[in-house]
Amino acid sequence: MTSIALTSAPVTTLDVDALIVGITDEGKKHVEGPPALPDDVRVSLEKALEALGANGKLGEITRVPGTGLVKARMIVAVGLGDVRILDLEKVRRTVGAALRSLAGTKSVGIVVTSPDGPRVEAIAMGALLGNYAFHAFRGASASSQQAPVLKILITGAPKNKEQSAALDRAVVIAEAVNYARDLVNTPPSALPPEEIAQQAIEAVGKLPVRVEVWDEDALARDEFGGILAVGQGSANPPRLIRLEYSPKGAKKTVALVGKGVTFDSGGLSLKPPKAMETMKCDMSGAAAVIAAVTALARMKAKVNVIGWIPTVENMPGGHAQRPGDVITIYGGRTVEVLNTDAEGRLILADALVAASEEQPDLIVDAATLTGAQIIALGDRTSGIMSNDDDLQAAIYETAKRAGETMWHMPIPEESRGTLDSPIADIKNIGDGKGGMLSAAAFLREFVPEGQPWAHLDIAGPAFNEGGPYGYTPKGGTGAAVRTFIQVAEDVAQGQLP
Ligand code: BES
Ligand code: ZN
Ligand code: ZN
């Protein structure tokens, strides 16, 4: 476990292996901000950087020996680019990349040059997210892995209440994101629906969060037909999980819903092998709900938070649902299932109806719902859809503040039209065009009119198949965790819906 703390120890004598300092690209390879480094050290460092050809452009990382300058063995100069346009997300990304580049180093100091709370929070967040590694399933190769940095000290910021609160907040949120990443990275054999439920119970631990789990009998009794239909093709039975955090005095309620398909083979509408390789990530929405509810309880947020997690394994076993089957979603609507690979919407439909019954102030769901999301927005931008345009715009702002890239997508009337079934209330696939939008149109059918609801399609952003960048590792990213937390906080503040 990595420790992180603020220190008032002088930068020059700080006892760490590496010292991270920000440099800007304004002409003279300026070491950013005056107060933290003594003038003579700063001037010498700038000379060394100049000799090495460092130019301070955003994301650049240059190592300089600490000898003669500071006690730390090395100084790692990270380029911040033009500081006049330096936003907090750039800080998070730069610090994240710097920390990852230091894997294998034991202790790291980070010099803060603009010592306000948001900057400290961004630095800590970037550091903890960038420092993430997942080695739980390595055997013989475990010992050859570079361990994450063990100790992070933030220096140069005053150790007052504002800074400490900023640091605490960053720690809770980053731990939540990293926890979600762990769940996503865990192989699907180790994380069937029953184990997701177990994880939820363990994650909330002694926190004031109530956990309720529907097993297959309870699901049948209460007629959760979507979850049962998708789950029936697997030897691992489905579950529905409800988490409730209701602190004293909270006036508003937000429901967070997450798709929890522990493995998506496609079912009888089987996916090709390549497309299946990453399908352990199909429970990323579920991971985000568990992580966010846990974090909000740890932060003692003043808002009621209800987490809903329908979780299944989508498999083509002998009892699997067939294309052509008609199933009945919780609440009574019927769905003609023409493609068993469009399973997320079936289990989410059950959960959205259940969540709506309690009439929360806002429902937000997150789901790795469609490949079409990746075609439309790429793999770093999630889609936001909603039954209310103003809410959609507000969620965009909330996500951005939380550091997550998302973009507004419509639910056009014609996409609902393509879902008309000749024999049931609705069918589960459209005409193949605008697949992200018709999936949202399907979900919207299960949210009553007047119930504020937003849907986040995180299919691409949930899992990074490419190399690591900024604070984002390869594999599970923890997408939607920070947005969920920020959404709940905004609801608490009356800023949402
Ligand atoms: N889990 C997939 C969506 C997905 C694709 C997530 C790639 C992450 C990366 C989802 O269940 C699915 O298979 N959707 C189908 C729907 C189609 C059959 C209407 C899709 O997008 O192809
Ligand atoms: Zn699918
Ligand atoms: Zn899926």
Side-chain angles (χ1 to χ4, degrees), residues 259 261 264 266 269 271 275 278-279 281-282 314 339-345 368-374 428-430 432 435 438 457-460 463 465:
K259 172 178 173 180
V261 177
D264 184 7
S269 311
K271 286 181 184 295
T278 59
M279 279 304 125
C281 84
D282 217 17
N314 189 22
N339 190 319
T340 64
D341 197 13
E343 84 297 341
R345 62 198 74 184
T368 45
L369 203 62
T370 65
Q373 180 279 320
I374 307 172
N428 80 329
I429 48 168
S438 51
D457 194 333
I458 59 170
F463 198 82
E465 290 185 63

Side-chain angles (χ1 to χ4, degrees), residues 163-435:
Q163 314 298 342
S164 305
L167 181 65
D168 290 348
R169 183 183 151 81
V171 169
V172 171
I173 297 176
E175 284 180 1
V177 173
N178 287 339
Y179 169 77
R181 291 170 171 180
D182 280 349
L183 286 189
V184 174
N185 288 330
T186 299
S189 60
L191 204 63
E194 294 166 274
E195 187 56 29
I196 295 259
Q198 195 51 40
Q199 283 291 327
I201 291 166
E202 281 168 28
V204 304
K206 292 200 170 66
L207 292 165
V209 177
R210 217 177 72 134
V211 185
E212 203 176 329
V213 180
W214 280 257
D215 63 11
E216 57 272 40
D217 294 337
L219 288 167
R221 177 198 68 212
D222 293 343
E223 302 182 327
F224 285 99
I227 297 171
L228 287 167
V230 180
Q232 74 194 33
S234 170
N236 295 309
R239 293 288 182 265
L240 173 65
I241 306 161
R242 180 180 182 277
L243 303 169
E244 177 175 350
Y245 166 65
S246 343
K248 262 204 200 91
K251 292 194 178 66
K252 302 276 179 163
T253 302
V254 61
L256 306 174
V257 183
K259 172 178 173 180
V261 177
T262 61
F263 181 71
D264 184 7
S265 72
L268 282 175
S269 311
L270 199 65
K271 286 181 184 295
K274 262 284 158 212
M276 248 186 253
E277 283 179 13
T278 59
M279 279 304 125
K280 68 174 180 181
C281 84
D282 217 17
M283 36 57 72
S284 296
V289 171
I290 300 174
V293 174
T294 306
L296 288 159
R298 282 182 71 185
M299 291 158 71
K300 300 192 168 65
K302 285 207 168 45
V303 57
N304 301 311
V305 187
I306 315 290
W308 288 96
I309 300 164
T311 175
V312 297
E313 187 179 45
N314 189 22
M315 296 289 267
H319 293 287
Q321 62 173 338
R322 313 145 193 83
D325 279 356
V326 172
I327 64 172
T328 305
I329 301 298
Y330 180 65
R333 271 167 221 253
T334 60
V335 180
E336 184 183 11
V337 178
L338 290 177
N339 190 319
T340 64
D341 197 13
E343 84 297 341
R345 62 198 74 184
L346 304 177
I347 66 169
L348 286 169
D350 273 347
L352 287 171
V353 174
S356 300
E357 277 183 346
E358 302 177 341
Q359 298 179 306
D361 295 288
L362 173 63
I363 300 177
V364 182
D365 77 70
T368 45
L369 203 62
T370 65
Q373 180 279 320
I374 307 172
I375 307 288
L377 291 172
D379 53 13
R380 297 187 187 181
T381 304
S382 301
I384 311 171
M385 285 136 282
S386 174
N387 55 359
D388 178 316
D389 289 349
D390 294 334
L391 172 60
Q392 184 182 32
I395 297 274
Y396 165 78
E397 294 298 336
T398 299
K400 189 172 171 184
R401 244 184 304 132
E404 296 202 82
T405 318
M406 305 199 179
W407 196 249
H408 330 65
M409 283 304 203
I411 310 180
E413 244 350 277
E414 67 273 18
S415 60
R416 171 59 187 87
T418 63
L419 296 170
D420 285 338
S421 162
I423 68 161
D425 296 340
I426 193 168
K427 60 188 170 79
N428 80 329
I429 48 168
D431 61 5
K433 298 174 205 154

Side-chain angles (χ1 to χ4, degrees), residues 2 153 236:
T2 304
L153 289 173
N236 295 309

